Amino acid sequence: MAKYCGNCGTQLEENAKVCGNCGTPVDGSPVVIPNVKPKDPEKQKKRKKTVRLILGLAVLAVVAVIGLNFAVKYTGYNGLLRKVMKAYKNYDIDTLVSLSSDMYYYGDEDWVEYYFEYTVGDDLDYFDSYVGHSYKLSYEVNETYTLSEYKMDDMLEEITYTYYDFDVSEISKIVVADVTITAKQGSNSESLERNIVMSREEGSWKLLYIE
């Protein structure tokens, strides 16, 4: 005579002890309870502490990377470059003068102002001629490099010749940023390649030249 599960009605095998469909014991067959070890509360606490510690260290690592990127971008010669290019776009000659090397104090008082008025003004006039008067100006840094020792010596010699009262030993490093400056208005655009030459003088970064 066929047997059926009293729980779900599924037909059972002749010697079945549990229902193959729902797992209900058949004819008083003992239910086997799996041997599950009780959880150790102390181990659980330690595991939770470990997880929290790992998550905390991961957050600190992310914050450190963000902070480092911010420092690199907004301080040192990178920070100076951002200020120079902002002043360049706004034709802010006073700011360019304030960011410039101390060597200019040893030359003609108005020379540095004239220099930036001519250099930056000539570039902006060029953009006006080829793009129009309502263009938007942007720039891209193609490369940033430190002058080699012999090239730096050549530049320091030139500075000494022009500004003989300036102590070139104040300059410990010279960095050049190769920049592409682009003016765009509608479908018209024009670009210029410029070198922003910066010097480290007694712990501070200064603008030497825009070439």
Side-chain angles (χ1 to χ4, degrees), residues 27-188:
D27 295 333
S29 297
V31 178
V32 179
I33 301 175
N35 183 20
V36 179
K37 293 182 179 180
K39 295 182 179 180
D40 188 338
E42 290 300 320
K43 286 185 177 180
Q44 285 185 310
K45 287 181 180 180
K46 289 181 180 179
R47 187 177 293 112
K48 288 180 180 179
K49 286 182 179 179
T50 302
V51 171
R52 284 197 295 267
L53 178 61
I54 293 172
L55 290 175
L57 291 174
V59 170
L60 286 175
V62 171
V63 171
V65 170
I66 293 173
L68 179 61
N69 289 336
F70 180 87
V72 169
K73 192 173 183 179
Y74 291 93
T75 62
Y77 60 79
N78 286 311
L80 174 63
L81 179 60
R82 290 175 62 85
K83 293 176 183 177
V84 168
M85 294 313 301
K86 181 179 179 181
Y88 177 103
K89 289 192 290 184
N90 294 330
Y91 191 61
D92 186 351
I93 303 303
D94 288 341
T95 295
L96 290 173
V97 171
S98 70
L99 297 173
S100 296
S101 169
D102 291 344
M103 73 181 186
Y104 289 110
Y105 293 111
Y106 295 88
D108 186 319
E109 183 178 354
D110 297 323
W111 161 243
V112 62
E113 185 175 347
Y114 293 147
Y115 167 70
F116 289 122
E117 284 178 351
Y118 172 78
T119 303
V120 178
D122 194 49
D123 286 355
L124 299 182
D125 286 342
Y126 173 84
F127 289 135
D128 280 343
S129 299
Y130 284 89
V131 181
H133 299 286
S134 301
Y135 57 80
K136 290 185 178 180
L137 209 60
S138 63
Y139 73 95
E140 180 179 356
V141 180
N142 304 311
E143 182 185 11
T144 304
Y145 58 93
T146 301
L147 282 190
S148 62
E149 186 174 347
Y150 83 90
K151 286 186 177 181
M152 180 169 168
D153 287 342
D154 287 344
M155 185 170 287
L156 293 180
E157 185 176 343
E158 180 182 340
I159 291 172
T160 300
Y161 178 78
T162 307
Y163 303 95
Y164 47 84
D165 288 331
F166 175 64
D167 183 5
V168 293
S169 66
E170 292 182 14
I171 299 178
S172 58
K173 184 184 291 187
I174 296 177
V175 170
V176 180
D178 178 5
V179 176
T180 299
I181 305 169
T182 301
K184 187 172 184 180
Q185 180 176 250
S187 60
N188 296 328

